[in-house]
Every structure is written in structure tokens, then in C-alpha cells.
Amino acid sequence: MNRLELRRPAALLFGIFSRLNTSLTPAKRLTAVPIWSLLGDGQPIRRTLLLFTVVPPVLVLLTIGLTISHIAKEQIEQTQGEKLRIRAAFFTKNISQAIDRHLVDIKSRAALLPKFNLHTDYQQLNTWMLTVHSEVTDYTWIGFADRNGVVRVSTQAGLSLQSVRHMPWFGRSLEQAIVMDAENTPPPFVTKGQSNAHPRAIYLTAPVYDQQGEVVGVLIGYLGWDWVLNQYAGIANQLPIGQQGDVFIASANGGAYLVSKNTSMIHFNKPGGLQLAQHQSSGWYQDAWPDQKNYLIGYAKTNRQPHAADSEWTTLVRLPLDHVRADISPLVTGLWFIIAATIAGLVAMTGLLLRVTLQPIESLVNTINQVADHGGSIRTTRPTPKEFQVLTSAVNRMIQAIQDRELKSQAKTQLLADMSHEIRTPLHGLIGYAEL
């Protein structure tokens, strides 16, 4: 046997694959050949199969994981933001209703003054106001100013004979009952119980008419800003928003006043997103506040009623964005754990499949090398796939054909040698005889 013909088992296998491939129709020929050409000639099949069976699924799984995580974060932020908006609207609605109830109370009490001629008897009016103030403790003070703006009677010491004519609400109060959120209240109207950090108040006013229907003055109900904050704190206790949540009241000028269990009435610089909140009735947004933290904020603005003059503020309910996203951390962690387990299983299964698939090829190559060195034929000693059995049979036929050609060549050589010997013997005799 010409052993040089069997010295290259890889070349023999490649030749067999080529012969099998070219013997098929074009539609049935092996389509995996271009895959090897993508990586260049001579690349290990194990590396190629790993590249094309593991990398694409891994990329797909990573893309799915990132997409689902992003969608989950957006969904939880949208859901939580809507909850915060609803809670802010709940706060605003309850405060507005409380203010409206007090306005109705002031209007009804203003209608009682002419019936008992209290607007002309200031001593009886003072007694009546003290009684009302003891019954309705929400009012910081109650007062009556005549049509010239002079406070004639008040439950707050020091306000008598003070002029309210310059107050922005007085002129309109002579025409209709109004609610007004007044900032920078002058000192005589700031009570001792009110926080000096917030010199503002809510004025509830109603005109007082005499028996002939002429306006004789204005009945004033004063709700300090501390009352508003206390109302918010009371509602916050009834509607908890979580340990990390805070409720704010933002005035028209951007001042934000914190209302929470641990801290009260802290003034912040105007957050950037607050501009959006002040131009819409309600909604939610993300924003970075002066404490350098990102928050998810729901907001609701007070509705401007016909009787509400300059009485606007915005309720903000905020949660730290990290606290919001913490709700989906177990979901995202579980998702990535499943993806990691899937990738690990895919790699393990691919490795096992390559081992089962390539081991017969490696065994066949080793057997071919042994045959090339020592002769013989290929025999399978363990169960192998049918394709490798066909390949082994084809290699054995090829070896047998090579051996047959070797035998024929040797027979021809022996025939020529014998013929040469048989011809040389008589020729030598003839030559010798001729020489004699």
C-alpha cells in the first residue's frame, strides 16, 4: 500500500464529503459549506459550531432581557405616577372642599347680621363673633369691616380700626363672596400662631347688606396657612403614601412647602418640573430636586372657581425614583436569573451535543491514522450514528480500492520482472553461442 495516500486523513474526509456533496442534486447539496468559509479555511468545526449555535441565541436573550427590563421600568413608573397623581388630586379636592364649606359658612353668617342688626351694634357683634370663633376653631380670627375698609370688630386683638381698604380682596368683596390666597400678608394680620416663615393666609369674605339691600361692610374669615398645612397633614395620615413619600404645597411663585410626618414647612428652591405642574391641571413627571435626587412626582392644581380670586396652589406628592424602581427589582432579578440559567443550559447542551457529534469524527481520524501506519481497515467498536457508519463504509471502500490498485500495480511489476528474466536467459545463451 502507498502509505503516502493515507497520510492525510483530514484531506481524505474532506474529499469524501466533497464527493458525497457533488453526487447530490443542487437542491440537496450541503448548505453548511458557506458557514465554514465565513470564518476562513481551516477553522476548527467545534469553534464554528459554538459560534453559530450559541452566540445568536445569547444575543437574542440579552436583547429580550434589556427590552423587558426597560418596559417593566416604564410600566411601574407610569402606574406609580398615576397613583401619585390621583393622591395629589385627592389632597387638592379635600382642601378645596374644606375651603368651600367655610366660604358657605361665612356667607350664611353674613346674611344673619342685618336680621339682628348686628352690623350697627358693634358690642353685640363682638359677642356674637366670639361665640362663632369658639364654635368654629378653624378660623384664626373673624372680623367685620365697614364699606370704607375699617375693621370695626375682630376676634384678633390689635386689628380693630385697622384699614383693609388696600387689601387686594376688599374691592371685590363688596360685590360678591370670594376666596383669596394672599401672600406676604401685612404684619398686623399675621397672628402669633401662624408660622413666620409663611406670612400668607386664605381670606374668606362675604358682603353684608342692610335691610334696603345696600352694602354696609364685609364679613371676613381668616384661615392661616398653618391651617392648610394641618389639613394636608391630617389627610396624609389617612392616605399613607409610603415611608419615603412626601406631600408638598407649591404656591404660584414656586415656593414649595413640605408637609410630612418628620419635617414640616421646609422651603425649597423651585424645581424645574414645577413649571410644567403649574400649567396643567394634573399629571405626573420625573424631576431632579435641589437635594440632587430624582423623584417621581404626581401633581394636581386647585380649580379656579368664579368666587376664587388668586387662590391657586399646586399639590405635589413625590416618591424617590429609586424607591419606585425597587418594586420591580425582584422581577428584573428573576428575569436575568432565568436568562443566565438559559444561557448556561444552552452552552452546556451545545457542548454535550458537540462532544457526542464530534467524538465519532475524532475516533475515525485516529483509526485512519492507524490504518495509514499499519494497514488494515476501519472497524467501529461502539454504537455510532448512521451517518458515521456510512462514512466508515465509504472510507473502507476507498482503502480497499487503493489496496486493489496497489496489488494490481505490484502484479504488473512482478509480471514485467518475470518476463524480463525469462527473456534475458535465452538471450544470454544466444549471445554466448554467437561469441563462440
Side-chain angles (χ1 to χ4, degrees), residues 6-28:
L6 296 177
R7 289 292 185 181
R8 292 184 175 178
L12 291 176
L13 291 176
F14 223 51
I16 293 172
F17 278 123
S18 300
R19 291 179 60 185
L20 291 175
N21 195 33
T22 54
S23 64
L24 298 174
T25 61
K28 296 182 179 180

Side-chain angles (χ1 to χ4, degrees), residues 17 20 356-357 360 364 380 382-395 397:
F17 278 123
L20 291 175
V356 173
T357 304
L364 180 60
T380 57
R382 63 181 65 183
T384 56
K386 182 177 180 180
E387 291 78 5
F388 292 102
Q389 294 178 3
V390 173
L391 179 60
T392 301
S393 177
V395 172
R397 289 198 302 271

Side-chain angles (χ1 to χ4, degrees), residues 299-333:
Y299 63 88
K301 193 175 183 180
T302 54
N303 296 323
R304 292 184 63 93
Q305 302 295 336
H307 58 265
D310 299 329
S311 59
E312 279 194 356
W313 61 81
T314 303
T315 302
L316 306 175
V317 181
R318 75 173 190 180
L319 280 177
L321 197 57
D322 294 339
H323 179 75
V324 174
R325 291 177 177 175
D327 294 339
I328 63 170
S329 294
L331 174 63
V332 175
T333 303

Side-chain angles (χ1 to χ4, degrees), residues 50 53-54 342-356:
L50 280 173
T53 57
V54 175
T342 303
I343 293 176
L346 178 62
V347 172
M349 292 297 296
T350 303
L352 179 62
L353 179 62
L354 289 177
R355 181 179 179 183
V356 173

Side-chain angles (χ1 to χ4, degrees), residues 6 15 25 47 60 64 102 132 137 142 149 179 183 214 228 230 302 334 356 366 383 389 401:
L6 296 177
T25 61
R47 183 188 306 171
V60 170
I64 292 175
H102 285 84
V132 172
T137 58
I142 304 174
V179 177
E183 297 187 68
E214 295 292 332
V228 178
N230 292 332
T302 54
V356 173
N366 293 332
Q389 294 178 3

Side-chain angles (χ1 to χ4, degrees), residues 139-403:
Y139 296 120
T140 304
W141 56 267
I142 304 174
F144 171 77
D146 60 22
R147 62 180 303 152
N148 295 320
V150 178
V151 178
R152 295 300 180 180
V153 180
S154 173
T155 59
Q156 178 67 29
L159 295 183
S160 297
L161 302 181
Q162 293 285 339
S163 176
V164 295
R165 190 178 185 87
H166 62 283
M167 300 296 287
W169 45 265
F170 180 74
R172 281 175 283 185
S173 300
L174 294 175
E175 300 176 358
Q176 63 175 354
I178 64 170
V179 177
M180 187 169 188
D181 172 22
E183 297 187 68
N184 301 321
T185 306
F189 298 94
V190 178
T191 63
K192 295 181 179 180
Q194 184 175 352
S195 172
N196 292 329
H198 305 290
R200 59 188 299 134
I202 296 177
Y203 290 92
L204 308 173
T205 63
V208 178
Y209 300 94
D210 60 10
Q211 299 293 344
Q212 289 74 29
E214 295 292 332
V215 177
V216 295
V218 176
L219 184 63
I220 308 167
Y222 183 100
L223 296 176
W225 193 249
D226 287 337
W227 173 83
V228 178
L229 299 180
N230 292 332
Q231 293 295 311
Y232 272 84
I235 298 174
N237 293 331
Q238 299 175 13
L239 185 64
I241 59 173
Q243 297 180 352
Q244 302 297 327
D246 292 314
V247 181
F248 288 80
I249 304 172
S251 61
N253 66 352
Y257 303 93
L258 177 63
V259 180
S260 66
K261 298 178 180 178
N262 302 324
T263 311
S264 62
M265 297 185 298
I266 294 181
H267 187 275
F268 283 90
N269 294 328
K270 185 175 182 180
L274 188 57
Q275 298 178 356
L276 172 66
Q278 290 178 337
H279 288 84
Q280 298 182 7
S281 59
S282 65
W284 63 273
Y285 64 94
Q286 295 183 23
D287 196 11
W289 279 52
D291 57 0
Q292 305 302 320
K293 292 183 180 180
N294 292 321
Y295 291 91
L296 191 66
I297 303 168
Y299 63 88
K301 193 175 183 180
T302 54
N303 296 323
R304 292 184 63 93
Q305 302 295 336
H307 58 265
D310 299 329
S311 59
E312 279 194 356
W313 61 81
T314 303
T315 302
L316 306 175
V317 181
R318 75 173 190 180
L319 280 177
L321 197 57
D322 294 339
H323 179 75
V324 174
R325 291 177 177 175
D327 294 339
I328 63 170
S329 294
L331 174 63
V332 175
T333 303
L335 173 64
W336 284 111
F337 177 79
I338 294 174
I339 291 177
T342 303
I343 293 176
L346 178 62
V347 172
M349 292 297 296
T350 303
L352 179 62
L353 179 62
L354 289 177
R355 181 179 179 183
V356 173
T357 304
L358 297 180
Q359 188 173 9
I361 294 180
E362 295 173 352
S363 177
L364 180 60
V365 170
N366 293 332
T367 303
I368 291 176
N369 288 329
Q370 293 178 3
V371 171
D373 293 333
H374 307 289
S377 60
I378 300 174
R379 293 182 178 86
T380 57
T381 58
R382 63 181 65 183
T384 56
K386 182 177 180 180
E387 291 78 5
F388 292 102
Q389 294 178 3
V390 173
L391 179 60
T392 301
S393 177
V395 172
N396 283 331
R397 289 198 302 271
M398 183 184 66
I399 294 174
Q400 186 63 42
I402 293 174
Q403 291 176 347

